[in-house]
Amino acid sequence: MIYLDYTANTPVDSEVLNKFVEVENKFIGNPNSNHQEGKKAKEELAKITENIASLLNVEPSEIIYTSGASESNNLAIKGITDISQGNHIITTKLEHSSVFAPIEELKKKGFVVDYAPLDKDGKINISQLIKLIRPDTVLIAICLVDGELGIIQPINKIAEEIKKVSDCKIHIDGTQALGKIKIDFKNIDTMSFSAHKIYGLNGSGILFKRGHLKLNPQISGGMSSSLYRSGTPTLSLNSAFYVAVKKAIENQDKRFSDVLEKNKNLREFFKQFPKVKINSPQNAVPHIINLSVEGIKGSVFQRKLDSYGVCVSVKSACSSDGLPSRAVTALGNSERTALSSWRISLSHLTTWEEIEQFKEIFVKLV
Amino acid sequence: MNNKKVLIAMSGGVDSSVTVYLLKQQGFDCIGTTMRLYRNETISQGNFKTCCSEKDMEDASEVAFDLDVPYEIVDFTDDFQKQIIEKFIKVYENGGTPNPCIDCNRYMKFEKLLNIALEKKCDLIATGHYAISEYSEKHGRYILRKAKDLTKDQSYVLYNLTQDQLKHTIFPLGNLEKTQVREIAEKQGFVNSKKHDSQDICFIPDGDYFKFIKKYTGKTPQEGNFIDENGKILGRHKGIISYTVGQRRGLGIASDAPLYVKKLDMANNNVILCKNEGLFSKTLIADDINLISVEKITEPMKIKAKVRYRQKEQPATVIQIDENRIKVEFDTPQRAITKGQAVVLYDDDIVVGGGTISETESDLS
């Protein structure tokens, strides 16, 4: 088996998993219970929240634990728009479905949505974005790194320009960026993260929420670790998240350059095939290579690769509307190119042996 | 090259795939579309199985890609649930035996999908049905005819088409044999060329409609009595909706001659059984009618009619009672005429019209 789908899910790091088991065994109290076990758990939760905040360079009170990035994105988007005056949103065609779908729901409720124009390399055209801002714009939602092509958006530059002209809130989907590139929260109001993209556990994530910004909670109930998200605190998951994020950030540079070498090698390899078009821009994160093989539908190529034990991703035709990938189309590709597209995603765990085996299989199939 | 734009309803099966191929060959500007009709959750299946409709959409999109035809999925799940699945259940609950495919053709394909086609500035809609639609000078109307391949003819399930719908509809397979269609699919190397023809009701993949209705409604069917035509109790039944008129198997009643379901008496929760002879009747009334080759039936008309999909047409006389109803009287008694099913009238190979059977002789007598 050659796993090349790390953008979809990463295997859990053993230290992360051990941490989960250790905390689960050690702390039996509900952090909100007023007895010794509860207090012990609460102290631990406070400690690891401080640790996570310090790694991300934010305040502990700015961290909301969630079940993952889909919940974080929903909480930010719905939580902000529920209590804002105005009904205009700006986003991009590169967003994950957990950003796209809640915004589509808002459209049905009367919100008007504009999509920021992209330059050739997929980066948002900032001056054109600024022109889209209206007095009633309440939210601008952008992914820092998109999951299909790996394009990196200059979010701090964008946010700085937005803040000059508008008070609207800026939500960033940072899910695919964490552990890959440095993240700066300057001028950002909310940002989503997920553990399972950084060798953490599934079902765990956070939403960064700037200072005293108010959100309308989407899950109501008893006291939790945040005003904005009810549910019994998940100390073991949060502790495991801390270990995952710590390892991801501490090893980021080393992992990045390792993946970059493999990315360069593959890009060079693909050059010999005239039918192969690399859709990911040159300056995308090296972890993601989106490509199209002319005349072969992406889902068909994926199936062929799968029969050789190679796992890659494709935007499924039946996921929603049968239409080709929004992201690949947004870069000015034809519908056929978009329908042929699929994604390799690499990790520092990817071995050179796997890269070579993949190449041998690819030659047979193309 | 003709400049006509056509939207083709693609199910993911062989027939609609070949339909796209043929129209593309004929120079039509083609758009392929699949209607998403239900999701696993709606039909009480877990979400961890690949929904068979997902596989069908994948197949359809691959064929469209191979033929370089734009492809799209339209979501009809809400309407399908309301207009098809829930009506299906209601008909059973009222003692009838529904034919949801006829309703699906009527409300989903030739109403909703045709509207989408017209919004997209298409001239026509096409499906892979085996039937022929054409304008007849003689009738001064658009008519629906049986397919050339009589073993595959689907005109029965299309009797609801209105003049306007027929005007905008083509069935490119109407003049082909099924074997020819398979040959084309294999020659083109379509991913689905070896796929079996669909048989069951699509939203009940295992065919167990009784279990489906129980799960869907959450109601436990009430047991009741099997009785004979004189009211004598013969045994207990397990819930009236699990029986259909004409059924013999699974009754669990010992008797000297085989017994069949004659009638479902919903009011008293009885299933009335009879011997084979008791199933035959000559007359029926159908409502919610649609007429195709004629605008109105003004005087008794000699036609041939069938009361279920797999039946040879039988000579009969039809009169129109009012706007919505016809009365059909067969020359010879017919077996197990069933409420909820469609009666479709033919003049040779031309569909005169049809309706939903609402009363049978046992109701009328």
Side-chain angles (χ1 to χ4, degrees):
Chain A
M1 192 271 291
I2 303 172
Y3 188 77
L4 297 176
D5 200 14
Y6 291 93
T7 303
N9 193 42
T10 57
V12 69
D13 182 287
S14 58
E15 276 182 55
V16 172
L17 189 56
N18 289 341
K19 188 68 177 177
F20 175 83
V21 175
E22 177 202 318
V23 174
E24 200 61 27
N25 280 322
K26 196 166 158 192
F27 297 90
I28 60 162
N30 183 326
N32 290 326
S33 294
N34 246 335
H35 46 55
Q36 284 187 31
E37 275 305 314
K39 284 175 188 162
K40 199 174 105 188
K42 192 172 202 160
E43 274 169 31
E44 181 69 10
L45 186 55
K47 195 181 90 196
I48 66 121
T49 307
E50 254 174 56
N51 291 345
I52 294 172
S54 121
L55 278 169
L56 296 176
N57 201 16
V58 301
E59 294 295 320
S61 61
E62 293 178 322
I63 288 176
I64 302 169
Y65 294 111
T66 68
S67 62
S70 285
E71 187 192 331
S72 297
N73 284 330
N74 272 268
L75 173 56
I77 293 165
K78 294 175 182 169
I80 289 170
T81 52
D82 277 355
I83 50 176
S84 301
Q85 304 288 320
N87 64 351
H88 181 241
I89 297 171
I90 302 171
T91 184
T92 78
K93 294 262 171 82
L94 300 173
E95 302 306 315
H96 184 259
S97 49
S98 62
V99 170
F100 181 79
I103 291 177
E104 284 297 299
E105 282 173 37
L106 289 170
K107 265 189 192 172
K108 286 185 197 146
K109 290 180 183 164
F111 277 78
V112 177
V113 179
D114 277 310
Y115 297 91
L118 307 176
D119 288 333
K120 264 216 165 108
D121 60 357
K123 291 198 194 294
I124 290 170
N125 183 306
I126 300 177
S127 61
Q128 287 186 44
L129 166 69
I130 298 298
K131 280 186 199 145
L132 291 173
I133 296 175
R134 320 193 310 200
D136 60 346
T137 304
V138 289
L139 176 69
I140 297 182
I142 295 168
C143 51
L144 174 46
V145 172
D146 82 282
E148 274 196 76
L149 295 143
I151 298 160
I152 307 167
Q153 298 296 343
I155 53 161
N156 302 103
K157 176 84 188 134
I158 294 171
E160 190 186 340
E161 294 302 315
I162 293 169
K163 293 288 175 190
K164 281 181 193 164
V165 297
S166 173
D167 289 332
C168 69
K169 302 294 174 274
I170 301 169
H171 171 65
I172 302 296
D173 179 2
T175 314
Q176 293 296 353
L178 188 60
K180 296 189 178 92
I181 58 169
K182 192 173 175 343
I183 296 172
D184 181 351
F185 292 81
K186 199 175 170 210
N187 288 320
I188 307 302
D189 293 298
T190 52
M191 199 180 314
S192 303
F193 302 104
S194 175
H196 76 108
K197 310 289 190 189
I198 53 165
Y199 312 90
L201 290 165
N202 287 84
S204 161
I206 60 173
L207 178 69
F208 158 81
K209 180 196 71 69
R210 165 84 53 210
H212 55 263
L213 170 71
K214 278 203 165 52
L215 290 178
N216 192 31
Q218 303 298 307
I219 298 178
S220 309
M223 198 168 42
S224 178
S225 51
S226 160
L227 277 177
Y228 304 103
R229 201 274 194 187
S230 281
T232 304
T234 48
L235 176 59
S236 48
L237 280 175
N238 307 151
S239 306
F241 187 89
Y242 165 59
V243 177
V245 81
K246 182 169 182 279
K247 289 189 84 169
I249 290 176
E250 282 176 1
N251 297 302
Q252 186 169 289
D253 293 346
K254 201 172 96 223
R255 290 177 178 180
F256 187 93
S257 41
D258 178 77
V259 170
L260 184 61
E261 285 309 306
K262 285 159 192 153
N263 174 292
K264 280 184 184 160
N265 182 288
L266 278 176
R267 279 184 182 259
E268 196 55 38
F269 164 76
F270 286 129
K271 276 185 187 160
Q272 61 182 298
F273 305 100
K275 281 188 171 174
V276 172
K277 180 176 185 300
I278 306 283
N279 301 314
S280 292
Q282 197 68 46
N283 54 7
V285 290
H287 308 70
I288 295 175
I289 304 178
N290 185 303
L291 66 155
S292 297
V293 181
E294 193 189 317
I296 306 179
K297 197 162 183 284
S299 55
V300 175
F301 210 96
Q302 181 202 33
R303 212 164 48 223
K304 287 182 178 182
L305 285 167
D306 192 43
S307 71
Y308 283 91
V310 180
C311 307
V312 300
S313 251
V314 65
K315 190 221 160 194
S316 164
C318 30
S319 64
S320 54
D321 47 12
L323 296 173
S325 156
R326 283 188 300 273
V328 179
T329 313
L331 254 64
N333 287 298
S334 73
E335 191 168 299
R336 273 187 90 69
T337 299
L339 283 168
S340 302
S341 68
W342 47 280
R343 179 192 71 193
I344 295 168
S345 49
L346 303 168
S347 157
H348 60 282
L349 299 176
T350 308
T351 63
W352 282 109
E353 199 187 349
E354 286 175 321
I355 297 279
E356 291 311 317
Q357 282 173 0
F358 166 78
K359 288 198 258 182
E360 279 170 32
I361 294 163
F362 185 86
V363 170
K364 282 186 208 161
L365 296 179
V366 75
Chain B
M1 187 81 190
N2 79 54
N3 290 320
K4 286 212 167 145
K5 193 168 167 186
V6 59
L7 184 147
I8 303 135
M10 295 182 76
S11 66
V14 182
D15 294 332
S16 52
S17 300
V18 170
T19 302
V20 180
Y21 169 78
L22 292 172
L23 291 174
K24 175 111 184 167
Q25 287 285 337
Q26 289 165 31
F28 280 93
D29 179 4
C30 300
I31 305 175
T33 302
T34 301
M35 303 179 288
R36 185 194 281 284
L37 299 174
Y38 59 88
R39 290 180 187 272
N40 272 346
E41 288 93 334
T42 326
I43 60 168
S44 311
Q45 291 221 10
N47 209 9
F48 301 112
K49 268 191 190 169
T50 305
C51 177
C52 52
S53 70
E54 301 276 315
K55 174 79 180 97
D56 290 339
M57 286 174 214
E58 194 56 46
D59 288 348
S61 71
E62 276 178 30
V63 170
F65 183 86
D66 287 345
L67 294 172
D68 197 9
V69 162
Y71 174 78
E72 206 175 321
I73 294 166
V74 290
D75 192 303
F76 288 176
T77 49
D78 286 349
D79 284 327
F80 188 79
Q81 187 171 356
K82 265 182 241 136
Q83 288 177 282
I84 312 300
I85 297 181
E86 283 170 13
K87 181 178 168 190
F88 169 85
I89 292 168
K90 212 162 134 198
V91 173
Y92 265 120
E93 287 179 337
N94 289 327
T97 302
N99 190 329
C101 304
I102 289 180
D103 284 329
C104 180
N105 281 329
R106 178 181 182 178
Y107 297 113
M108 301 295 121
K109 278 189 203 126
F110 296 101
E111 208 172 282
K112 278 183 71 85
L113 192 62
L114 176 58
N115 282 338
I116 287 179
L118 296 176
E119 276 167 27
K120 287 181 185 288
K121 305 270 179 251
C122 290
D123 302 286
L124 294 166
I125 183 172
T127 71
H129 282 111
Y130 288 82
I132 296 165
S133 71
E134 61 192 16
Y135 185 76
S136 161
E137 294 288 347
K138 185 183 145 204
H139 295 84
R141 292 169 69 82
Y142 287 90
I143 58 164
L144 177 69
R145 283 175 40 216
K146 282 188 195 171
K148 184 183 168 200
D149 186 342
L150 291 176
T151 65
K152 286 286 157 194
D153 172 52
Q154 291 174 306
S155 57
Y156 176 82
V157 293
L158 296 167
Y159 77 88
N160 262 312
L161 290 176
T162 65
Q163 285 296 300
D164 188 57
Q165 288 163 347
L166 282 167
K167 185 180 164 186
H168 290 105
T169 302
I170 46 172
F171 304 115
L173 306 187
N175 282 308
L176 293 177
E177 303 280 341
K178 178 80 187 197
T179 48
Q180 292 176 290
V181 172
R182 286 242 178 238
E183 270 168 37
I184 293 172
E186 275 167 37
K187 214 171 152 192
Q188 293 303 314
F190 290 153
V191 56
N192 54 13
S193 63
K194 300 235 167 12
K195 204 166 174 177
H196 293 298
D197 287 0
S198 53
Q199 298 286 346
D200 296 317
I201 294 167
C202 70
F203 56 90
I204 311 180
D206 66 358
D208 189 343
Y209 74 89
F210 184 55
K211 188 178 85 191
F212 174 83
I213 294 174
K214 270 198 295 188
K215 271 191 178 181
Y216 190 95
T217 59
K219 292 185 209 158
T220 310
Q222 244 196 311
E223 287 186 12
N225 288 325
F226 284 121
I227 57 170
D228 70 11
E229 290 166 277
N230 301 316
K232 188 184 148 203
I233 295 173
L234 302 171
R236 297 287 285 171
H237 69 66
K238 61 179 183 181
I240 203 161
I241 58 160
S242 67
Y243 303 95
T244 52
V245 172
Q247 178 180 342
R248 176 187 155 189
R249 294 173 62 167
L251 303 179
I253 300 286
S255 159
D256 48 344
L259 290 174
Y260 299 83
V261 175
K262 182 183 173 70
K263 200 181 159 185
L264 305 173
D265 176 5
M266 304 312 282
N268 300 302
N269 195 27
N270 288 329
V271 175
I272 302 161
L273 304 182
C274 66
K275 292 182 180 150
N276 192 44
E277 310 88 79
L279 289 175
F280 286 80
S281 57
K282 279 181 84 167
T283 315
L284 66 84
I285 288 176
D287 61 14
D288 201 11
I289 60 164
N290 181 55
L291 297 174
I292 298 178
S293 66
V294 293
E295 199 191 329
K296 234 187 211 170
I297 297 169
T298 48
E299 52 188 41
M301 187 178 179
K302 287 295 291 178
I303 42 88
K304 284 186 173 181
K306 63 177 184 176
V307 292
R308 63 180 63 87
Y309 187 37
R310 301 251 168 247
Q311 187 199 13
K312 196 174 175 330
E313 305 91 69
Q314 300 296 321
T317 305
V318 58
I319 57 168
Q320 186 167 354
I321 304 169
D322 55 37
E323 277 284 285
N324 284 312
R325 292 188 302 163
I326 51 172
K327 182 173 176 181
V328 179
E329 187 158 350
F330 287 94
D331 291 6
T332 56
Q334 301 298 309
R335 190 178 182 279
I337 297 176
T338 307
K339 276 199 280 186
Q341 294 279 297
V343 58
V344 178
L345 320 173
Y346 290 87
D347 173 10
D348 196 16
D349 71 337
I350 295 169
V351 176
V352 176
T356 309
I357 298 167
S358 58
E359 290 173 64
T360 61
E361 204 159 85
S362 52
D363 303 302
L364 299 168
S365 57

